Amino acid sequence: MSHDPLNVITLVSVGAHPVTGRARRAEQDARAVDLGLSLAGKELHLLHAGDPQAEALRAYLGMGLAEMTVLQQPPQADVLPALGNYLRHAGAQLVLTGSQAETGEGSGMLPYLLAEQLDWPLIVGLAEVESVTGGVAQVLQALPRGQRRRLQVRLPFVASVDNAAPEARQSAFGPARRGQLQQQEVAVVEDALLEEAQLQPARPRPKRLKVIKAKTGAERMKAATAKASAGGQVLTDMTPEQGAEAIFALLRGEDVLR
Amino acid sequence: MLDTLLPILIFCALAVMMLGAWRRVSLWRQGRPSPVPLMRGLAAMPRRYLVDLHQVVERDRYMSRTHVATAGGFVLAALLAIIVHGFGLHHRLLGFALLGATVLMFIGALFVARRRRNPPARLSKGPWNRLPKSLLMFSVSFFVVTLPVAGVLPADAGGWVLALLLAVGVAWGVAEMFLGMTWGGPMKHAFAGALHLAWHRRAERFSTRVGGSGRSTGLKALNLDDPEAPLGVEKPTDFTWNQLLGFDACVQCGKCEAACPAFAAGQPLNPKKLIQDMVIGLAGGNDASFAGSPYPGVPLGEHSGGPHQPIVNQQGKGLVGADTLWSCTTCRACVEECPMMIEHVDAIVDMRRHLTLEQGATPNKGADVLDNLIATDNPGGFNPGGRLNWAADLNLPLMSEKRQADVLFWVGDGAFDMRNQRTLRAFVKVLKAAEVDFAVLGLEERDSGDVARRLGDEATFQSLAKRNIASLAQYRFNKIVTCDPHSFHVLKNEYGALGGNYQVLHHSTYMGELIAGGQLNLSQHKGGSVTYHDPCYLGRYNGEYEAPRNVLKAIGIEVKEMERSGFRSRCCGGGGGAPITDIPGKQRIPDMRMEDIKETGAELVAVGCPQCTAMFEGVVEPRPHVKDIAELVADVLIEAPAPVRKTSAASPDVLEVH
Amino acid sequence: MSDIIRRDPRSEWIARNRLHPLHASLQALGASWVGPSGLIRKNPHAVAFVGPNGLKRIDRSGAQQGGGGKRASISAAAQLPLHIIEQPSFHIVVVPDMVGGRLSSHDKDLLGLASMLAGSEGAVVAVVFGEHKESAFDTAGVDRLLHIQGEAFVGYTPEQRIMALRAVDDQLAPRHWLFPDSRTGGGELGRRLAAKLGERPATRVWQVADGQCIGRAGAGQQDLARRAPRLILAAAECADPVGETRHEVRAIELEGTLAHSLTRIDNLGAVAVDPALTPMAEAEFILSGGNGVRDWELFHQAAEVLGATEGASRVAVDDGFMPRDRQVGATGTWVTARVYLAVGISGAVQHLQGIATCDKVVAINKDPGCDMVKRADLAVIGDSTAILQALIERVSEYRQGDLRDVA
């Protein structure tokens, strides 16, 4: 890839580890930072709206950046206006975000609302920027199961990054400790959501049982008495051809032969 | 003629040598400061040389005697030659003494030469093959030159031809022996080695007249409170000055190379080459003239560096490839074998610290493991709430409830591993059978920090260690017992610097005590023959070779020893984060060790470490079975005799006592 | 189904009971039908049957009609009651993903949720873009189908679709918009619409009841409970799919013409992804080799023919046959493939942990007692080389057959 370094801003947030809930760099945001580093190198600009004292933010600096801008916001604030105002004047060509925050609501709406507010196009699930020529970027979008789609989009644009983007580089202690969090005071807009909604510990969702929609008693009986499929079919003493046929049938049935 | 030539030659050589010494010292002084008592070190040096170093050299009798003769002869001859020929003190007795010294040196040099005729691969060639010739030249020249002094020959015997020949011989000998000492020939080891012994960074390694421990294996802590303090070693000058001095002491004997499991497995590491690379970095240059075995798979001549250039260059070649540093299993076999007492592992971990803490370049699964340790306090990323799930049915006493106990059982991260849980359960069975007053920390326990520290992540290590120390400080106990030699080592030797001092025992040691105290009722081991594998962190790190063998003996096992056992035990490949960084080689270290095990014909290998168990069980079957010592003991445990059981089961008041 | 003829007292009873809703479907085929004039006609000859002694019998008990017929065909023919909403008082609009042109199970759950929200007053409207192959909108619970076709909606066209959905919003003013919160389109489309409409959606919703909805929040450790908003992005299994009723799938049209705006994102089409390079954690079909693989060339060939992503056990990686990033298991990569074909892998605990979430595991192994065979849904015991060889032939044959069909 050889093009002029882009002016890239990556939005970062404080994440929470899925097992322990400890504050950390958010997985997708870290991937967005990595992608930004590969596009803009050390010129990458990091932006966070929230608490400038949050230690977890340093993990992003540990990826090799000297500083980040923090728009000071209390926990209950709606950060969108602050981010939008900042970005409108920052002269960025590309704004990268994760797809979904790891704390709070985590609705994943931020990149959409930001794109709407700035009136920029939005690329969802950015995997790679292939080239930028004449203000038009050719990018790859990640689809489920490792598939990719090639898109063309005019700069500037917003792109969200999900777990299909390349894994984020390691965060190192030294640069994380040295990095500077540049604090900026901005207007605060309260978020009304939490007045009517409440966060509660996640309830485990019941595993859906095999719903038996039997029309007749016989079907119900059959469904109830069918051997619970513990252990599968074991084919012994077969010719290789018969074995292959059995496997082939299963692969056909699962529709994985393309 | 010689009478005028010799003093000039000798004093010129000494002057140039002093100049060289000055240069060498200033090279070392580029390193970071290290507080070492200079005078006391010098005073202790002779003893360190004659006792501690000699004990290592003595493992190879041939070399030990050769060295005594050569070095002793040389030191004596050199001193006398300066007096006799330098100052012209032509006393007959001195002459004979000098003759004797040169003869001694000559004999030694002959043996050195013999060793060099068919040298093993571990020895460096090049200048080192020239050394015996120089030694012979020095001794012969001074012998002949001294003959007139002793009055055996007339002063002018042989005429000017002989005089010229002798002058050349003396010049050669003096150049190699005096100039080489400080300007970088093979004899550099004598000068640097002596000072290295005096100002060694681990003074505790040496015995003292009152008897010291003679063991110092814990890694030194980084100062993380000072934001200016460097995090590990990036360039050669980031080492402390006495580490740099230590690298210069290397004699390139290759004992480390022969012992290194990574080298044997074809991974790109050769401890000897690594030390020599540091020497190259010290003065600047490239490795083309290195005369020993290269790093497997890495050709010579491609790497170069200087004192102020990064040792590992992520983009270019640098002085050393990162893979070299990550191949090390920190098994300490090289340090154990090194006759110059060089600390290879310290240097490697110092350089790893820079890679992890500054570059964020821990390879392969390293970054994941460190992230897991930070977020979940265990390397596997398991929910810390499941730390005690393995013992759900064992009703283990918890420290948080008991507040005090005789023994604190440190479970370790093996608690999350299904294989290791068998070992843990076996050990609990033993503890219960011996009616030991013990308790576990349960969910308050965290990873000891071993892996984080060996991967160079000192910050995570210290964070884990400090929290563990805070947990331990809440309770009263006499000793900590653990089944994991890595936790054992870290708790025992590395928590002290952070304020945690404990009496820590490996479970084999503790079971040995229980057996000796008659607290266990054991039958005899049935089944096939058994060999025992010494874990590095139990053996070489902590000197515990006997206790596991005694326990095995007590249950009727006669250990079929492997050729490499005890302090020469070969690593299983599981230490130092090596399975995590996973640098490819030609073969796998555990496979090689399993070959060692198979050679004994044993049907079962007894181990005392969860890492070793995991590595050996990863070897493809058929292979001998792998069992922890605790499992072997638990297998032959005779449950408490009937009367005891009756009282404990029948009388509730006994229960109330607890 | 077994060939043993069993009596089914229930269906016999239905056959006798002329008021039962399923009565008609249990009458012998051709016994009665609606004639061209609208009258019900009966064939008196078909009522009877030939008894065991050769005589023609008429049995009003229903035993013969009910038990004699093939039960399978009877239940297949059973018609669910039709749910008709003539004048809906409100609309619930669902935009299904239509992966591969068909309703996915996620879509069906969503339609189930929609018909729950619609109750007996509202109508469930499904908005489908472009061509589709679905034939069972009726049993999935679609009352109205808004099929938006046209060049502009083929492929990945989020901007065009949002334009269309805004028009739908203007036209129907739906009480709720429902989207599947999936990576296959719904998640993106729903959020784009929410941003465009300025509505704050509820996302990752897994329960809607009594006007309240609960969705996962943050990293999944918390739930967000709130009043159900107009836009809901629901997770899979948010509700049970419709199963008891048939719906009329009445087609409706979008009024007016859609303004075509200039698109800012151009779709240059799918990129050919080499399955061998697909990250293993995302691959849906993995061919994994272990210690029992003798012929690695053949193994690679098999992966290519099958179009599978290659994986390996630790031993195969250690022995240098496969690169380290292909290692499957607790110490390697945790995979989520739909089909995991394990060749010569005995199934160490760590390996089995790594494939725990795979749907179908197929094992080829010569040891019938190994753990992988116990885990597998289908295990073929035998020589892996021969079986792989046969499988390659069988699949190549199938592929060629496919080509012939196309030609």
Side-chain angles (χ1 to χ4, degrees):
Chain A
M1 239 185 343
S2 64
H3 48 73
D4 293 332
L6 288 170
N7 185 357
V8 185
I9 297 183
T10 299
L11 307 187
V12 296
S13 62
V14 175
H17 192 270
V19 173
T20 57
R22 280 187 206 164
R24 59 160 189 174
R25 62 174 186 178
E27 171 84 27
Q28 294 171 344
D29 293 358
R31 288 174 194 246
V33 172
D34 203 76
L35 206 58
L37 279 170
S38 66
L39 291 170
K42 302 276 180 196
E43 300 301 306
L44 175 68
H45 196 113
L46 297 189
L47 180 63
H48 171 69
D51 177 12
Q53 306 300 323
E55 278 301 302
L57 291 176
R58 298 199 162 273
Y60 297 108
L61 297 173
M63 296 168 76
L65 288 156
E67 57 168 43
M68 79 161 75
T69 307
V70 182
L71 308 176
Q72 194 168 5
Q73 297 274 293
Q76 302 290 324
D78 182 359
V79 297
L80 194 72
L83 289 174
N85 278 336
Y86 183 94
L87 290 174
R88 200 164 290 129
H89 304 111
Q93 294 167 292
L94 170 57
V95 173
L96 292 168
T97 76
S99 314
Q100 201 163 62
E102 292 179 359
T103 56
E105 186 186 3
S107 67
M109 281 302 291
L110 185 117
Y112 296 86
L113 294 170
L114 213 50
E116 193 63 35
Q117 212 181 73
L118 297 168
D119 198 23
W120 291 1
L122 167 72
I123 298 290
V124 176
L126 182 69
E128 190 187 327
V129 175
E130 289 186 310
S131 66
V132 178
T133 38
V136 175
Q138 187 165 305
V139 301
L140 288 186
Q141 181 186 36
L143 303 177
R145 295 294 177 199
Q147 302 299 305
R148 297 279 185 270
R149 180 191 286 143
R150 186 168 287 132
L151 300 174
Q152 213 169 41
V153 61
R154 189 158 276 286
L155 298 175
F157 65 100
V158 180
S160 70
V161 165
D162 62 18
N163 291 343
E167 211 166 303
R169 66 194 64 186
Q170 191 178 356
S171 172
F173 175 81
R177 188 172 64 170
R178 278 193 302 273
Q180 299 288 321
L181 299 171
Q182 307 287 2
Q183 194 170 325
Q184 277 192 20
E185 300 254 357
V186 288
V188 173
V189 178
E190 281 291 322
D191 184 2
L193 172 77
L194 289 168
E195 284 166 19
E196 58 133 344
Q198 61 265 344
L199 281 170
Q200 55 201 35
R203 262 190 288 158
R205 291 179 57 188
K207 257 231 147 93
R208 178 185 279 179
L209 298 173
K210 268 245 158 62
V211 183
I212 300 153
K213 290 264 168 88
K215 302 289 176 303
T216 65
E219 279 176 18
R220 266 193 296 276
M221 177 63 96
K222 192 181 158 218
T225 56
K227 192 172 62 134
S229 57
Q233 199 185 356
V234 179
L235 306 175
T236 42
D237 301 326
M238 297 185 91
T239 65
E241 284 71 29
Q242 287 167 316
E245 187 60 42
I247 296 171
F248 175 73
L250 184 137
L251 298 182
R252 280 291 308 275
E254 290 293 321
D255 198 24
V256 288
L257 290 178
R258 298 242 165 79
Chain B
M1 184 180 73
L2 273 179
D3 287 348
T4 48
L5 205 56
L6 280 180
I8 295 172
L9 255 177
I10 288 173
F11 286 113
C12 277
L14 283 176
V16 178
M17 179 179 116
M18 293 314 286
L19 211 65
W22 175 252
R23 176 178 166 270
R24 213 72 214 163
V25 169
S26 52
L27 283 180
W28 301 331
R29 282 170 52 98
Q30 298 177 98
R32 294 213 312 268
S34 165
V36 180
L38 295 181
M39 294 320 288
R40 220 154 6 107
L42 281 176
M45 190 259 282
R47 183 186 160 83
R48 290 179 180 178
Y49 175 73
L50 293 171
V51 178
D52 300 288
L53 188 143
H54 185 72
Q55 274 172 4
V56 180
V57 179
E58 186 65 8
R59 290 173 191 162
D60 183 349
R61 281 291 172 84
Y62 179 97
M63 213 46 231
S64 153
R65 287 176 190 169
T66 305
H67 193 259
V68 166
T70 321
F74 165 68
V75 170
L76 216 56
L79 288 175
L80 288 168
I82 292 169
I83 295 168
V84 174
H85 299 295
F87 292 105
L89 212 70
H90 287 200
H91 193 279
R92 213 174 151 195
L93 269 181
L94 285 176
F96 272 110
L98 181 49
L99 285 180
T102 50
V103 169
L104 186 63
M105 185 178 165
F106 181 77
I107 296 169
L110 279 180
F111 280 98
V112 177
R114 203 183 90 175
R115 160 82 70 140
R116 285 280 154 184
R117 281 179 60 188
N118 224 342
R122 64 180 170 83
L123 289 175
S124 288
K125 319 291 184 302
W128 293 88
N129 275 353
R130 189 185 69 218
L131 182 62
K133 295 173 199 138
S134 307
L135 290 170
L136 290 172
M137 189 57 73
F138 184 94
S139 52
V140 169
S141 308
F142 272 100
F143 182 81
V144 179
V145 164
T146 313
L147 285 176
V149 178
V152 182
L153 277 181
D156 52 356
W160 66 269
V161 178
L162 183 65
L164 200 65
L165 277 177
L166 283 177
V168 170
V170 167
W172 177 354
V174 165
E176 178 77 85
M177 302 307 287
F178 289 1
L179 303 193
M181 202 174 275
T182 59
W183 284 96
M187 282 309 290
K188 188 185 68 184
H189 81 271
F191 171 60
L195 296 181
H196 166 58
L197 284 183
W199 301 323
H200 198 280
R201 74 191 306 244
R202 292 178 180 273
E204 318 84 60
R205 270 191 76 176
F206 303 99
S207 60
T208 54
R209 221 160 295 139
V210 286
S213 67
R215 195 171 294 282
S216 164
T217 54
L219 291 172
K220 305 233 183 242
L222 276 184
N223 179 5
L224 297 178
D225 298 328
D226 175 9
E228 299 301 312
L231 302 169
V233 167
E234 180 189 14
K235 23 189 213 302
T237 50
D238 287 339
F239 285 110
T240 61
W241 66 267
N242 52 357
Q243 275 179 296
L244 294 175
L245 162 58
F247 302 146
D248 253 351
C250 175
V251 286
Q252 304 196 31
C253 67
K255 294 256 162 110
C256 50
E257 172 185 320
C260 179
F263 180 81
Q267 287 169 259
L269 171 63
N270 175 353
K272 179 175 92 175
K273 170 84 165 51
L274 183 79
I275 298 300
Q276 284 312 307
D277 282 348
M278 297 302 112
V279 174
I280 290 169
L282 184 60
N286 92 8
D287 66 351
S289 59
F290 177 66
S293 324
Y295 300 128
V298 183
L300 289 176
E302 289 182 356
H303 288 76
S304 61
H308 301 290
Q309 287 166 22
I311 294 172
V312 177
N313 190 335
Q314 301 288 356
Q315 279 81 43
K317 282 287 185 187
L319 187 58
V320 174
D323 280 0
T324 297
L325 302 178
W326 296 112
S327 295
C328 176
T329 66
T330 67
C331 73
R332 261 185 105 77
C334 48
V335 185
E336 184 74 35
E337 292 291 348
C338 181
M340 298 308 286
M341 310 228 153
I342 297 169
E343 296 283 345
H344 311 66
V345 176
D346 283 5
I348 288 174
V349 173
D350 278 341
M351 290 185 273
R352 285 185 180 184
R353 281 172 176 172
H354 173 76
L355 292 181
T356 295
L357 294 176
E358 284 290 355
Q359 310 271 333
T362 323
N364 285 324
K365 292 260 162 190
D368 289 348
V369 166
L370 295 176
D371 279 348
N372 285 338
L373 282 168
I374 292 168
T376 64
D377 300 334
N378 66 76
F382 299 104
N383 188 341
R387 194 173 267 282
L388 219 48
N389 288 359
W390 64 277
D393 57 334
L394 292 179
N395 202 13
L396 286 189
L398 285 173
M399 263 298 177
S400 54
E401 287 163 14
K402 287 185 66 164
R403 314 303 302 178
Q404 58 176 325
D406 177 32
V407 169
L408 187 145
F409 174 31
W410 184 273
V411 177
D413 290 323
F416 294 105
D417 176 61
M418 283 162 74
R419 167 62 183 92
N420 189 242
Q421 288 168 3
R422 296 215 304 269
T423 306
L424 294 172
R425 294 175 72 89
F427 185 59
V428 167
K429 189 176 161 194
V430 173
L431 287 176
K432 286 189 169 168
E435 296 182 340
V436 174
D437 172 28
F438 76 100
V440 296
L441 279 178
L443 303 188
E444 290 173 277
E445 193 184 302
R446 292 166 193 84
D447 178 87
S448 63
D450 166 71
V451 167
R453 190 168 228 198
R454 313 298 133 184
L455 289 177
D457 192 347
E458 183 75 1
T460 302
F461 165 74
Q462 290 194 12
S463 149
L464 288 166
K466 281 175 184 159
R467 284 180 287 151
N468 276 326
I469 290 169
S471 298
L472 289 167
Q474 295 174 281
Y475 308 116
R476 285 172 52 198
F477 51 86
N478 294 324
K479 44 184 164 283
I480 299 176
V481 175
T482 177
C483 301
D484 174 13
H486 295 262
S487 303
F488 167 61
H489 166 69
V490 170
L491 286 165
K492 183 176 170 217
N493 302 321
E494 298 189 349
Y495 274 25
L498 302 169
N501 292 294
Y502 315 104
Q503 189 197 346
V504 194
L505 298 176
H506 184 241
H507 70 313
S508 64
T509 316
Y510 189 64
M511 285 192 293
E513 282 179 15
L514 291 178
I515 292 170
Q519 282 168 277
L520 286 175
N521 197 356
L522 301 173
S523 66
Q524 296 288 295
H525 171 76
K526 287 184 263 313
S529 52
V530 177
T531 184
Y532 171 68
H533 164 79
D534 286 279
C536 310
Y537 276 70
L538 184 63
R540 272 188 296 273
Y541 273 79
N542 288 294
E544 185 59 280
Y545 303 110
E546 286 313 309
R549 290 182 167 78
N550 290 341
V551 170
L552 293 176
K553 202 168 171 191
I555 57 173
I557 291 173
E558 197 183 320
V559 174
K560 290 179 121 180
E561 291 289 359
M562 283 179 267
E563 195 186 313
R564 288 182 64 167
S565 65
F567 73 87
R568 288 227 158 102
S569 170
R570 201 209 299 259
C571 180
C572 71
I580 297 161
T581 56
D582 192 37
I583 305 300
K586 288 203 179 54
Q587 50 183 332
R588 286 182 1 113
I589 297 174
D591 290 349
M592 292 175 353
R593 187 56 173 165
M594 192 51 83
E595 282 309 310
D596 293 352
I597 293 166
K598 282 179 184 164
E599 263 174 34
T600 65
E603 291 155 50
L604 188 148
V605 54
V607 290
C609 173
Q611 293 287 348
C612 301
T613 314
M615 296 309 283
F616 292 152
E617 295 209 328
V619 176
V620 178
E621 293 190 306
R623 52 158 168 73
H625 290 289
V626 183
K627 269 198 168 181
D628 193 274
I629 295 184
E631 292 180 277
L632 290 170
V633 172
D635 284 349
V636 297
L637 202 60
I638 300 167
E639 295 289 339
V644 181
R645 200 184 305 155
K646 212 167 165 187
T647 50
S648 65
S651 56
D653 45 48
V654 175
L655 291 173
E656 278 165 17
V657 174
H658 290 288
Chain C
M1 190 177 273
S2 79
D3 292 331
I4 302 167
I5 295 170
R6 293 181 191 279
R7 288 187 60 182
D8 179 352
R10 183 168 176 269
S11 51
E12 286 171 14
W13 169 71
I14 294 173
R16 280 197 306 276
N17 181 356
R18 290 174 207 187
L19 297 177
H20 196 280
L22 296 177
H23 172 77
S25 68
L26 285 178
Q27 295 311 302
L29 208 65
S32 74
W33 67 96
V34 181
S37 58
L39 290 175
I40 290 184
R41 315 300 301 259
K42 281 194 179 180
N43 176 6
H45 301 290
V47 174
F49 62 96
V50 179
N53 50 7
L55 290 177
K56 209 172 225 186
R57 313 297 303 254
I58 294 177
D59 180 3
R60 296 280 177 210
S61 77
Q64 290 304 323
Q65 290 105 316
K70 283 268 184 201
R71 250 169 290 137
S73 62
I74 292 165
S75 55
Q79 284 279 1
L80 295 168
L82 188 64
H83 176 88
I84 296 174
I85 298 284
E86 208 51 64
Q87 285 295 327
S89 47
F90 60 88
H91 291 97
I92 307 284
V93 179
V94 177
V95 185
D97 273 348
M98 304 299 288
V99 178
R102 292 195 177 83
L103 288 171
S104 67
S105 69
H106 194 164
D107 292 338
K108 288 179 183 163
D109 295 345
L110 202 67
L111 286 165
L113 177 65
S115 69
M116 199 187 85
L117 290 171
S120 55
E121 300 289 308
V124 175
V125 182
V127 179
V128 174
F129 292 100
E131 295 296 323
H132 71 82
K133 305 178 204 155
E134 183 60 58
S135 55
F137 281 119
D138 56 346
T139 48
V142 176
D143 296 316
R144 304 282 187 276
L145 181 66
L146 176 53
H147 192 182
I148 303 177
Q149 277 170 296
E151 286 256 316
F153 302 103
V154 176
Y156 178 71
T157 51
E159 291 163 312
Q160 298 296 345
R161 291 183 184 201
I162 292 301
M163 293 288 290
L165 293 179
R166 273 181 81 176
V168 174
D169 194 59
D170 290 342
Q171 183 179 333
L172 298 176
R175 178 177 283 186
H176 286 294
W177 278 98
L178 298 186
F179 290 85
D181 200 348
S182 65
R183 273 186 69 196
T184 39
E188 177 184 345
L189 212 54
R191 286 182 176 83
R192 279 188 192 270
L193 184 66
K196 194 58 94 182
L197 297 179
E199 297 268 359
R200 188 165 196 157
T203 57
R204 289 187 277 169
V205 170
W206 55 272
Q207 192 184 71
V208 183
D210 309 325
Q212 288 286 313
C213 68
I214 305 179
R216 285 277 191 257
Q221 286 208 317
Q222 284 183 309
D223 278 342
L224 188 72
R226 57 186 294 195
R227 201 175 45 75
R230 209 158 77 88
L231 241 111
I232 295 175
L233 280 80
E237 301 192 6
C238 53
D240 286 333
V242 170
E244 304 293 344
T245 46
R246 236 166 6 104
H247 297 247
E248 44 180 345
V249 201
R250 193 184 297 175
I252 55 174
E253 295 291 328
L254 206 53
E255 292 159 8
T257 49
L258 283 172
H260 280 258
S261 70
L262 209 64
T263 54
R264 297 185 291 184
I265 301 173
D266 291 327
N267 182 6
L268 304 185
V271 179
V273 179
D274 183 357
L277 297 177
T278 309
M280 274 209 305
E282 285 196 60
E284 73 169 340
F285 176 25
I286 296 178
L287 176 69
S288 197
N291 198 34
V293 174
R294 291 283 153 264
D295 185 347
W296 284 94
E297 274 308 308
L298 185 74
F299 175 83
H300 297 310
Q301 194 194 336
E304 202 184 319
V305 171
L306 294 172
T309 303
E310 289 186 5
S313 74
R314 190 191 58 76
V315 178
V317 173
D318 286 346
D319 290 346
F321 293 117
M322 293 286 283
R324 180 63 68 189
D325 66 340
R326 293 284 134 189
Q327 183 182 327
V328 173
T331 46
T333 307
W334 298 66
V335 298
T336 57
R338 259 192 318 123
V339 178
Y340 187 80
L341 179 45
V343 186
I345 299 178
S346 60
V349 182
Q350 289 83 357
H351 194 88
L352 294 180
Q353 275 177 304
I355 61 168
T357 52
C358 290
D359 264 1
K360 283 273 187 295
V361 175
V362 184
I364 299 178
N365 210 302
K366 63 176 196 279
D367 173 14
C370 71
D371 290 331
M372 181 58 82
V373 170
K374 285 178 196 144
R375 162 69 174 84
D377 299 276
L378 171 67
V380 179
I381 308 302
D383 174 46
S384 69
T385 309
I387 295 171
L388 273 185
Q389 194 88 56
L391 188 60
I392 290 173
E393 273 163 31
R394 183 66 189 82
V395 173
S396 316
E397 198 179 296
Y398 160 74
R399 289 264 152 84
Q400 271 155 22
D402 232 27
L403 285 179
R404 268 201 302 280
D405 287 351
V406 171

